[in-house]
Amino acid sequence: MNDDTGRGFPVPDGADNSTVSETAAGAILTIDLGAIRENYRRLKARLAGVRCAGVLKADGYGLGAAQVASALIREGCDIFFVALLSEGIALRKALGPGHDIFVLNGLPPGSESEALAAGLHPVINSIAQLGAWREAARAAGRKLPAAVQVDSGMSRLGMPPADVEALGTDAFDGIDIRFVMSHLACADEPRNPANEQQWLAFERLRKALPAAPASLANSSGIFLGPLYHYDLARPGAALYGINPTPGETNPMLPVVRLQAKVAQTRSVEEGAGIGYGHTYHSRGPLRLATISLGYADGWHRRAASAAWFEGVRLPFVGRVSMDSIILDISALPAGRLGEGDLVELIGQSQSLDDAAAHAGTIGYEILTSLGARFHRRYIGA
Ligand SMILES: *Cc1c(COP(=O)(O)O)cnc(C)c1O
């Protein structure tokens, strides 16, 4: 198998927790855990002594929550956030006891004992969730940790200001408030006045609650400056190499490389109809390669794009299929690319953020869409 499209990319060191073998897979996703660790160190350096959690929702933004957590633990990270109780249970199973895991979306009613059994901490988003956790603490006969989320202006999750201000003094009986937190809607737009408005609202709401450490910043929030750092930052995207400062040079290291295998090559004459709907007709003789990656792997059908081989851009022609994409490889010498060779879709030739821009979306969506059919290769462990 020919694999020299990304000169300079770290060499695999054999760490591999993938369930799909490299020979059986149509595409290979290489995840650089060393780069994730370096990104964590870079964020820590910006935070200058403030604690830094790792956000691992959606299976670590599609890269493997357990593997990412293990890498972050080696950097001293001991606080993790997932979105769902189900994710928390899976992560606890993988990590064993000892690290704090918070469930951002709160606990579904009736699931408190399940969360407790798994040693998970809820992010309390409503008065009802607060009551249920207070009751769980009473039943357990001890104080139970939790984070309390307030809505400072995103209108998504967290207690509305009116509810926060109406809370009685006994509302938190039995609850060990580890963090009062909120989430920024526009942190990736540093000049957006919504950031300061949310900061002011967060300050006001914090004062209506028992004194506790505070947490506001996601990845981009860290780059808004120390005012937004409080006692704990909660980055996700930046750890995975997504640019937390859109429009400026990415201060993070790239983490993922995506390569797809060539399934077949062919030559066609002028006028050949290519792919579903014949949306493309060759305007001359063409050489084509079909790769084993398609929209079922998260490469969106509307995403006009290209793959690269030895630095040569190979444009998509025709529609993206479910399991395959056709490339125009006429720019390469005849016979240079063959069945089983790997072409690159994300990596040195095209960054994750560039691939996302071509697809009319953001890096977050690309990462979390990337398919279960890939062979996942972990390097830098
Ligand atoms: C997803 C999420 C984060 C992490 O955000 P990034 O932009 O990926 O850094 C932090 N806090 C909350 C509440 C989130 O939902």
Side-chain angles (χ1 to χ4, degrees):
M1 204 174 301
N2 194 320
D3 175 13
D4 53 2
T5 55
R7 281 146 299 192
F9 201 87
V11 177
D13 64 7
D16 172 25
N17 299 292
S18 176
T19 50
V20 181
S21 82
E22 180 164 344
T23 46
I28 295 167
L29 186 68
T30 304
I31 298 152
D32 187 344
L33 296 173
I36 291 177
R37 289 175 63 172
E38 170 60 19
N39 287 338
Y40 184 80
R41 289 194 294 269
R42 289 183 185 185
L43 296 175
K44 284 284 287 182
R46 285 210 149 251
L47 287 165
V50 166
R51 298 176 77 184
C52 189
V55 178
L56 302 174
K57 55 200 190 187
D59 196 25
Y61 291 47
L63 301 184
Q67 288 87 347
V68 173
S70 305
L72 294 177
I73 286 168
R74 294 216 203 163
E75 294 300 327
C77 180
D78 57 0
I79 303 180
F80 300 105
F81 288 88
V82 295
L84 306 178
L85 175 57
S86 58
E87 295 174 342
I89 290 169
L91 184 61
R92 175 62 75 208
K93 213 171 264 172
L95 295 186
H99 305 284
D100 287 320
I101 303 173
F102 289 89
V103 179
L104 285 167
N105 283 20
L107 301 181
S111 70
E112 291 78 16
S113 55
E114 210 174 335
L116 201 54
L120 303 171
H121 312 322
V123 171
I124 292 171
N125 290 315
S126 69
I127 287 179
Q129 288 176 12
L130 179 59
W133 200 237
R134 215 169 41 227
E135 179 54 29
R138 201 195 51 76
R142 62 186 170 95
K143 275 204 155 196
L144 295 182
V148 176
Q149 179 159 230
V150 297
D151 179 15
S152 59
M154 185 175 180
S155 317
R156 185 182 69 167
L157 286 168
M159 281 192 209
D163 288 1
V164 174
E165 277 146 16
L167 287 170
T169 48
D170 55 355
F172 295 95
D173 282 357
I175 295 176
D176 167 16
I177 308 177
R178 295 286 181 85
F179 297 101
V180 171
M181 58 174 276
S182 193
H183 192 49
L184 297 166
C186 308
D188 59 342
E189 301 167 23
R191 274 170 293 279
N192 194 319
N195 293 316
E196 196 189 336
Q197 283 159 18
Q198 282 200 262
W199 183 87
L200 288 166
F202 187 53
E203 280 295 291
R204 203 172 55 243
L205 292 167
R206 246 157 42 80
K207 291 187 183 114
L209 292 168
S215 176
L216 182 61
N218 64 338
S219 299
S220 294
I222 294 171
F223 293 81
L224 293 177
L227 217 51
Y228 289 80
H229 292 173
Y230 289 99
D231 303 296
L232 178 78
R234 306 185 311 269
L239 296 173
Y240 308 108
I242 293 171
N243 188 355
T245 58
E248 291 177 40
T249 309
N250 191 349
M252 315 315 297
L253 279 184
V255 167
V256 297
R257 183 187 195 195
L258 176 61
Q259 298 162 288
K261 277 183 199 168
V262 173
Q264 196 177 11
T265 58
R266 75 184 66 250
S267 297
V268 295
E269 300 303 318
E270 179 180 350
I274 296 173
Y276 279 124
H278 281 176
T279 56
Y280 190 91
H281 286 87
S282 59
R283 285 182 283 271
L286 282 185
R287 277 180 294 109
L288 305 175
T290 302
I291 56 173
S292 291
L293 175 141
Y295 61 74
D297 299 294
W299 204 276
H300 297 287
R301 193 168 178 263
R302 66 172 187 276
S305 191
W308 278 261
F309 184 77
E310 294 180 340
V312 178
R313 186 174 183 276
L314 310 173
F316 292 6
V317 283
R319 283 194 175 134
V320 171
S321 293
M322 183 186 293
D323 317 293
S324 57
I325 296 171
I326 305 164
L327 308 176
D328 177 358
I329 61 167
S330 306
L332 289 170
R336 185 66 195 87
L337 188 67
E339 187 180 340
D341 284 344
L342 293 171
V343 298
E344 185 177 272
L345 290 111
I346 297 171
Q348 287 211 321
S349 11
Q350 173 171 254
S351 74
L352 174 62
D353 289 305
D354 286 347
H358 278 297
T361 181
I362 53 176
Y364 297 67
E365 194 183 20
I366 297 279
L367 275 191
T368 54
S369 305
L370 292 178
R373 297 194 294 188
F374 296 159
H375 170 72
R376 277 153 203 269
R377 183 195 278 166
Y378 289 94
I379 64 170

